[in-house]
Amino acid sequence: MSRIVVVLNGPNLNLLGKREPEIYGRETLADVEAECRRLGAELKLAIEFHQSNREYEIIDWIHGARERAAAIVINPAAFTHTSVAILDALNAFGGPIIEVQISNVHKREAFRHLSFVSAVASGVIVGCGTEGYALALRRIATLIGEDKG
Ligand code: CA2
């Protein structure tokens, strides 16, 4: 059984740690990727990590995960609140999906309270900072079970 986990990041998350640290913290996306790879090795998960500012690229990575990856971790960033296209792509993926929101979107503007992605997610991690990615990987390891070699 596949232990590939595709970790997807939406628009502007390339700026993580470089602006608005009071909302998103001081870790950069490279720090987040390094921690996902470190924890992935511990949990015997093969991490594929991507970020894009383009909706179609995120959709293509979701399609590429079908029948190949065990799970998807996704922070769609602003596309969370707008993208039926990403929801439709995720609906065609068979495995578990964990949505991560770095900030507590429910404490923020009303337009951030709606997530199209939550409708298809197995779990949602909100407001735990960049630690949310590690929590998501641990949840996936629980859902897919241990590596029996
Ligand atoms: O809290 C989250 O994870 C968000 O997905 C982040 C998005 C925002 O649009 C969502 O409502 C909630 C924004 C990502 C942009 O990240 C930046 C990081 C540093 C500086 C500027 C933007």
Side-chain angles (χ1 to χ4, degrees):
M1 195 221 177
S2 164
R3 294 188 68 82
I4 297 170
V5 180
V6 178
V7 182
L8 298 176
N9 295 280
N12 299 306
L13 284 166
N14 53 309
L15 298 177
L16 208 60
K18 298 176 181 165
R19 285 184 42 208
E20 303 193 71
E22 64 290 351
I23 302 177
Y24 300 113
R26 293 199 178 278
E27 278 198 28
T28 65
L29 196 65
D31 295 331
V32 174
E33 178 174 359
E35 175 56 14
C36 285
R37 293 193 184 286
R38 189 203 64 74
L39 182 60
E42 190 183 298
L43 299 172
K44 299 191 168 60
L45 302 173
I47 304 297
E48 296 181 5
F49 194 98
H50 301 287
Q51 186 274 332
S52 181
N53 297 325
R54 300 172 184 86
E55 192 172 16
Y56 78 87
E57 262 188 314
I58 295 168
I59 292 166
D60 284 350
W61 285 321
I62 295 167
H63 291 173
R66 291 183 64 228
E67 291 164 14
R68 195 180 63 84
I72 293 176
V73 172
I74 184 165
N75 182 346
F79 292 149
T80 304
H81 320 298
T82 62
S83 184
V84 176
I86 288 177
L87 170 63
D88 287 347
L90 288 169
N91 262 319
F93 176 76
I97 296 161
I98 307 289
E99 175 187 348
V100 173
Q101 299 295 336
I102 297 169
S103 63
N104 181 355
V105 284
H106 301 292
K107 272 172 65 175
R108 301 182 66 193
E109 303 96 321
F111 65 82
R112 295 186 204 273
H113 298 178
L114 171 70
S115 166
F116 284 98
V117 171
S118 296
V120 72
S122 319
V124 181
I125 298 169
V126 177
C128 296
T130 51
E131 192 184 344
Y133 290 82
L135 297 171
L137 292 180
R138 289 194 186 280
R139 179 64 184 155
I140 281 167
T142 301
L143 292 174
I144 71 173
E146 67 181 90
D147 179 16
K148 303 239 169 51

